[in-house]
Amino acid sequence: MYDFVVVGAGPAGSRFARRAAEEGYDVLALEQGSVGKPLACSGHVSTDLWEYLPDGTRKELLQNEISGARFHVGGPDSEAHPFYTDGVISNVIDRVGLDEHLAHAAREAGADLREGHTVTGVEEAADHVLVSASTPDGSAEFRARMVAGCDGPVSRVRRALSIPEPDELLHGVLGFEETEDGSEFVDVHLTAPRFFAWRIPRGEAGVEYGLAAPPGERVRELFDDFTEEYGVDTVDFCSGAIPIGPPERVTSDRGFLIGDAAAQTKPFTGGGILYGMTAADHAAERIDPADPGTLSDYESAWREDLSREIRLGTWLRRAYSLPEPIQTAGLRAVSGEIGVHMDRPTTLLSRDHLRALLRS
């Protein structure tokens, strides 16, 4: 019997599998398809990412360095409100390569990570969980002391364990244009209903265009209108759900959720790579598969670390729906040099940010 069966080998799942294996636990990780594919997430991340990856990975994954963002209330020709730093504030990376490197690190740590395994059922018993899966050879059942649901926004594990749903699921779309662009600013357009659209330069890899909005808001049509305003034709179009708002609990008797399955994401951007891996570390450090009582330790730890950031991020997101004149006036008033961390909105109240505002 395994200590943990991990369902999903995205950043959160592979990070947890690696850390749990390093703790000496017997870990099986199951990925539905091939690791990292299909792509359904932006590759714009904070520089903290490299702390979670083996040495030397940065050189292979880095595509561009970003020093700021230009906010627009309208389209590409509308007034730009820049926010910037003197240095690098974020990175653009090979998103598929990130998943592949994290999965490799999990395997190197001793986790048994299997691709082509689609989980079809999860059953909890008094002293174990039974995970059923379709495999390249047919089907199989795996018994473990606990199951970790790291299987994304529409989590099968979450439903099987009767864990509440996230507050909201947005619909996000991505497309790519191949013209090389090594500029240092991303563009954010507050034009999509209740969220935004973006343009991210990816160096030699081209440019990423994206948009997210609530389902039913003609998201693909909005995306096509957005890219038409930029005068580009995108390739490699992909889409996916973005969970916003963690449920009141992310654990059951012998199961727990991490990452997008737990809606451990930033409400103001939808990004969840760093939040998910942060929660994965808390899970690996605190959960003992032989003691279900430790699941509450995980609940407490990740919420203590991230809940304040998520609450403040929710307030920031509300500004996306303000009337355009108020948005424009607010952006004009606060644009300039910043001292904030893109994953930690509480840094809006930091001394570094206040000093940057004074310099501006």
Side-chain angles (χ1 to χ4, degrees):
M1 182 164 63
Y2 293 97
D3 290 310
F4 295 105
V5 169
V6 182
V7 182
S14 288
R15 178 65 180 184
F16 174 75
R18 173 189 175 183
R19 290 295 312 280
E22 289 173 342
E23 292 290 331
Y25 293 119
D26 193 2
V27 180
L28 171 67
L30 305 176
E31 170 59 32
Q32 178 174 343
S34 299
V35 168
K37 300 175 183 177
L39 174 68
C41 177
S42 174
H44 182 216
V45 298
S46 76
T47 55
D48 289 354
L49 173 76
W50 311 115
E51 299 174 13
Y52 295 83
L53 288 160
D55 293 341
T57 308
R58 186 178 187 277
K59 182 177 180 180
E60 297 182 40
L61 297 182
L62 182 65
Q63 294 178 333
N64 197 15
E65 294 182 322
I66 302 297
S67 62
R70 292 182 292 254
F71 280 75
H72 307 258
V73 176
D77 296 328
S78 64
E79 180 182 0
H81 306 277
F83 295 81
Y84 57 88
T85 69
D86 288 335
V88 175
I89 193 173
S90 59
N91 290 159
V92 184
I93 62 164
D94 175 352
R95 183 62 184 79
V96 173
L98 171 66
D99 283 16
E100 292 172 342
H101 277 275
L102 288 167
H104 178 73
R107 287 176 168 132
E108 287 287 298
D112 180 3
L113 195 158
R114 305 183 191 182
E115 299 174 79
H117 283 59
T118 301
V119 169
T120 56
V122 178
E123 298 178 21
E124 287 183 297
D127 61 350
H128 69 276
V129 291
L130 186 66
V131 178
S132 305
S134 62
T135 74
D137 299 321
S139 62
E141 292 183 336
F142 306 99
R143 193 180 300 267
R145 291 183 173 84
M146 287 192 181
V147 60
C150 308
D151 50 339
V154 188
S155 169
R156 182 181 293 272
V157 175
R158 185 175 64 227
R159 296 195 301 270
L161 300 181
S162 298
I163 294 174
E165 297 289 314
D167 292 343
E168 181 182 10
L169 285 179
L170 299 177
H171 181 189
V173 294
L174 292 174
F176 301 90
E177 200 254 331
E178 297 177 345
T179 303
E180 180 177 342
D181 188 341
S183 57
E184 299 178 357
F185 276 72
V186 301
D187 286 280
V188 178
H189 296 265
L190 303 178
T191 51
R194 291 169 52 193
F195 216 62
F196 63 88
W198 62 89
R199 179 188 186 276
I200 300 173
R202 301 170 65 226
E204 294 180 359
V207 181
E208 173 190 317
Y209 293 86
L211 182 147
E217 292 284 0
R218 304 178 295 111
V219 174
R220 179 58 193 265
E221 184 178 334
L222 290 170
F223 177 80
D224 289 342
D225 291 344
F226 173 59
T227 53
E228 184 177 346
E229 286 187 273
Y230 267 103
V232 298
D233 294 318
T234 58
V235 297
D236 297 328
F237 177 84
C238 56
S239 67
I242 301 172
I244 303 292
E248 60 188 20
R249 61 179 174 86
V250 299
T251 59
S252 63
D253 292 338
R254 287 192 168 270
F256 55 99
L257 307 178
I258 310 175
D260 283 4
Q264 292 162 336
T265 62
K266 295 178 289 184
F268 57 104
T269 71
I273 294 174
L274 264 293
Y275 281 17
M277 291 199 292
T278 297
D281 283 358
H282 286 306
E285 290 165 5
R286 288 164 175 82
I287 297 175
D288 178 350
D291 181 5
T294 58
L295 289 168
S296 63
D297 298 332
Y298 163 60
E299 284 271 25
S300 298
W302 83 260
R303 291 183 191 276
E304 182 178 352
D305 194 349
L306 297 175
S307 62
R308 189 174 175 220
E309 307 293 350
I310 292 172
R311 283 197 302 271
L312 184 53
T314 300
W315 281 98
L316 287 174
R317 184 186 165 198
R318 291 176 182 175
Y320 302 166
S321 299
L322 293 172
E324 288 188 12
I326 296 177
Q327 289 179 332
T328 299
L331 289 169
R332 285 174 178 168
V334 300
S335 64
E337 187 176 356
I338 57 174
V340 300
H341 188 291
M342 67 175 286
D343 288 320
R344 298 279 180 176
T346 53
T347 55
L348 285 166
L349 308 175
S350 68
R351 291 180 180 178
D352 286 345
H353 184 51
L354 293 174
R355 282 195 291 265
L357 289 176
L358 291 173
R359 287 195 297 269
S360 297

